[in-house]
Amino acid sequence: MREKASIARMLDFIGVDIIEAGIPGMNEKERASVLHINSLGLRARIVTWNRISLGDIRASLACGVKDIYLSAPVSDLLIRYKTGNTRQWVLDCTKRVLRYAGDYGCSVSVGAEDASRADIEFVEELALLAQEMGAKRFRFADTAGVLEPVEVLERLIRLGEKLKIELEFQGCDVSGKAAANSVVAVKAGVRYISTVVGLPGERAGSTDLKRFIGMLKLILGYYPDLRFNMINKLERYVARATSRNLRENVDLYRTGNA
């Protein structure tokens, strides 16, 4: 918990706008961590990650968080193997959760998980539903990291032409294109980019913040108002914390199997 709080403080000092603090619906330890981060009085907005589940929303509300990120699987592959349900089930659950969150005064952004491998018309259907139900933002997630930059540009421009709410892009770095794809997303008019500090994108699901900023400056001549010199310090801290946690997990594994 202390490490997560320190990371949140450093991200806030760097100047990021939004901190995705955790998944309260996962377990009690995660809820305690999110509750603590939300109590720090940071300038950045504290957001929680949630499935399209009323239980997840209740867990976030119990932490005092009303900035909600809602992740809905949209590719047929993910819907089938992750939920065992159908596209209609995804739409119905998203609608029910959005109505519930709205009743409690939440600010909600909806994410299309595995959007890059989904039927673009279904992605648009979900996006329009989110907009109709009062969502503030829609995230297009290249969860598998399969898109080329030109495909990112085409799909985000197409989505942007249909939506009035803000768009967000999340790129996975499995193929090494997450930073480039994120820059292309900015070029397509996207104002929110999901990034991570100190972990490879294929593990964390987002592009590396430092690499993204560097490419923004190189390709678009744009430099965001962030304390760039602090990112190196944060990266070193995250690397130490990750290494320590991995060692602890290995020790626990060995102990459990002795």
Side-chain angles (χ1 to χ4, degrees):
M1 184 188 301
R2 289 193 300 271
E3 289 173 342
K4 282 192 172 185
S6 296
I7 291 169
R9 286 191 181 98
M10 293 173 77
L11 285 169
D12 190 59
F13 183 75
I14 286 169
V16 300
D17 297 311
I18 300 170
I19 296 173
E20 195 170 290
I23 313 172
M26 180 185 295
N27 53 49
E28 186 58 39
K29 183 178 179 181
E30 188 78 355
R31 285 191 288 277
S33 177
V34 171
L35 182 63
H36 180 57
I37 291 172
N38 195 45
S39 71
L40 296 176
L42 303 180
R43 179 201 60 82
R45 288 167 48 201
I46 304 302
V47 175
T48 57
W49 190 98
N50 303 266
R51 294 162 296 187
I52 45 177
S53 157
L54 296 182
D56 277 19
I57 306 303
R58 294 188 187 106
S60 290
L61 290 170
C63 295
V65 177
K66 289 193 173 183
D67 271 324
I68 303 295
Y69 170 68
L70 193 64
S71 182
V74 291
S75 71
D76 290 333
L77 181 67
L78 204 60
I79 293 170
R80 183 166 62 251
Y81 288 105
K82 189 173 184 178
T83 74
N85 287 290
T86 64
R87 293 183 183 184
Q88 190 59 50
W89 178 87
V90 172
L91 295 174
D92 291 342
C93 287
T94 301
K95 188 173 183 177
R96 180 168 61 250
V97 172
L98 279 169
R99 182 181 294 116
Y100 183 84
D103 288 343
Y104 281 87
C106 296
S107 176
V108 184
S109 59
V110 174
E113 188 179 0
D114 205 23
S116 51
R117 295 189 294 180
D119 177 357
I120 188 61
E121 292 186 357
F122 180 61
V123 174
E124 291 170 354
E125 185 177 3
L126 179 70
L128 290 169
L129 171 65
Q131 177 174 275
E132 179 186 345
M133 296 293 296
K136 306 300 182 185
R137 192 166 66 253
F138 185 79
R139 178 190 288 183
F140 184 101
D142 181 16
T143 307
V146 298
L147 292 184
E148 297 292 332
V150 66
E151 295 174 301
V152 173
L153 186 68
E154 291 171 351
R155 296 190 193 194
L156 292 177
I157 287 177
R158 174 171 169 166
L159 263 178
E161 290 174 345
K162 295 178 181 292
L163 297 177
K164 296 178 181 178
I165 58 176
E166 294 283 1
L167 275 174
E168 178 179 347
F169 177 74
Q170 180 181 32
C172 183
D173 210 28
V174 171
S175 59
K177 294 190 287 286
N181 283 344
S182 296
V183 171
V184 167
V186 173
K187 192 173 180 62
V190 173
R191 295 180 58 194
Y192 294 88
I193 302 295
S194 179
T195 63
V196 66
V197 175
L199 287 173
E202 67 269 24
R203 287 179 59 192
S206 299
T207 189
D208 178 75
L209 176 61
K210 185 168 69 174
R211 188 183 304 173
F212 169 60
I213 292 173
M215 293 188 71
L216 264 182
K217 184 177 181 181
L218 178 67
I219 297 173
L220 299 183
Y222 173 68
Y223 194 85
D225 185 22
L226 297 174
R227 292 182 172 92
F228 188 77
N229 60 318
M230 281 293 298
I231 297 178
N232 290 331
K233 182 178 179 179
L234 177 54
E235 281 186 339
R236 291 192 294 271
Y237 182 85
V238 171
R240 289 195 299 270
T242 302
S243 177
R244 182 163 54 250
N245 289 334
L246 285 174
R247 289 198 302 273
E248 290 173 355
N249 288 338
V250 169
D251 289 340
L252 286 171
Y253 174 79
R254 288 172 178 165
T255 301
N257 289 273

